[in-house]
Amino acid sequence: MAYDAQFLSTSLSFHSLYKSVPQGFRQSKGLILLLVNSRINRNKHTGIFMEMQGNGSPTTSNQSTINIPHVLTVAGSDSGAGAGIQADLKACAARGVYCSTVITAITAQNTVGVQGVNVVPEDFVAEQMKSVLSDMHVDVVKTGMLPSIGIVKILHQHLREYPVRALVVDPVMVSTSGDVLAGPSVLAGFREELLPMANIITPNLKEASALLDGVKIKTVSDMRSAAKLLHDKGARNVLVKGGDLPDSLDAVDIFFDGEHLYELRSSRIKTRNTHGTGCTLASCIAAELAKGASMLEAVKVAKCFVETALDYSKEIFIGNGPQGPFDHLMKLKSNTHNSGRQVRFNPSDLFLYAVTDSGMNRRWGHSISDAVKAAVQGGATIVQLREKDIETRDFVEAAKSCLQICRAHGVPLLINDRIDVALACDADGVHIGQSDMPAHTARALLGPEKIIGVSCKTPEQAEQAWIAGADYIGCGGVYPTNTKANNLTVGLDGLKTVCLASKLPVVAIGGIKVSNARPVMEIGVPNLKGVAVVSAIFDSECVLTETRKLHAVLTEATAALK
């Protein structure tokens, strides 16, 4: 379990995230066809089709077993439910993975601190472990508090007898105050027994120092050295968490896979509700590995999840102590958190789709919020913030300002590419390209209520967007454009081909302006719902006037088709 209260660092680079998440279900002619994506690895994708009979009971088209991704956590119990096995269970549930438990210690603790620890007898720890591993197919084992060398050895022995895909070691040994929670024998057991078996180890600075015989870790350079030294001791991958790095404005983590060092940075989230962040991070990594993700992908997804949960929970208040828990399922504020949110996507919102551009705003002396306000007042029905050269912190603040404007007018606000920004400001969704995060990953992170759009040029890409759970596609470029380098055009014929093939509503993009918008709307395909523009409205002194002009053209073209 995690006793550390450091701020978690999180990666803001999500373009190579994991490729495997459940696809959900489709409905056709009264039968629900459910494709259950089960145990997934790099070489195997086992599934089972189920049909709902008239009486509601499922029958299988084959009798093979459904293998659910499964994590076993070997850790202590937290009576306050912020850390330990309680955090592990909630984290795995949030990531869609089954979690079983082996309890190593029972603690009496709350938001004030730890009042007592009762270590579970070693023979009973062994009995729990054998009970789970001999019966259930466990993909990944994640460790937390291992309070004795005997328990370390028991874990080692059982993993030899019952091999699993991966071992994630969260070395809970040092409290936030610096107290060593594991004696010299346990430290030696970690080094000799667990590190050589670990697929990844996730120490904070104090834990990394303890594992390295007291080496001081005070800088990012020290973290890099520590990661390499821990790898040399046997861990295949190392994530050194720098949340309590002194004098750092950013939260910095170092990930080392034996060949490459990755420096993962983000802004700190200021909140008291950090109890259990270490447990949660390690459990999320384990969950993603159980679903088939690569190690780096698992780390990025886990860090994104923890950042999102921390940000969501920063204003909740549970307990009276200095370190509160956070909400893994992000439901505790549901009665108030959803106020003003676009609950359901309406395809008519695509009618006049305004995409911002920071360079154009600078050219005409417009702030992002002023440009968005003018576009919305001029008739834009949906807004996408596309800001390529802005600091993340500034982007989030600008997005929050634009969100207030859009919601006051009932207009959805999407973020281009940056799912981290969308989550941080609670935007209505994201728009992603073919080289960005997969749409099914975005859906898994954002949830079912958010809007997801995907750029597509071919019928095949449109089909994949539908399968992945997108709400709409953007097709283009229809005409040549200067706003995106090397953007191949599809022309009106290509646009029509994609529209006819798409099961989703379509917005046309690329080089569209007042002078050529009408032919686009007149291609005569019902699921073409509007046009997306950048320079047509934002590359002008008066955004309001240009938006009104384009809106009038689109309205006339649409009326003529009726």
Side-chain angles (χ1 to χ4, degrees), residues 255-274:
F255 175 75
F256 183 55
D257 62 6
E259 295 183 12
H260 305 289
L261 278 165
Y262 299 85
E263 187 174 302
L264 310 175
R265 289 180 174 265
S266 73
S267 300
R268 292 178 180 268
I269 297 174
K270 296 181 180 180
T271 175
R272 70 181 276 274
N273 299 321
T274 57

Side-chain angles (χ1 to χ4, degrees), residues 62-92:
N62 66 60
Q63 298 300 316
S64 61
T65 302
I66 303 173
N67 293 318
I68 303 299
H70 186 155
V71 170
L72 167 63
T73 172
V74 183
S77 171
D78 174 2
S79 58
I85 62 161
Q86 286 83 355
D88 299 339
L89 286 165
K90 288 185 282 188
C92 287

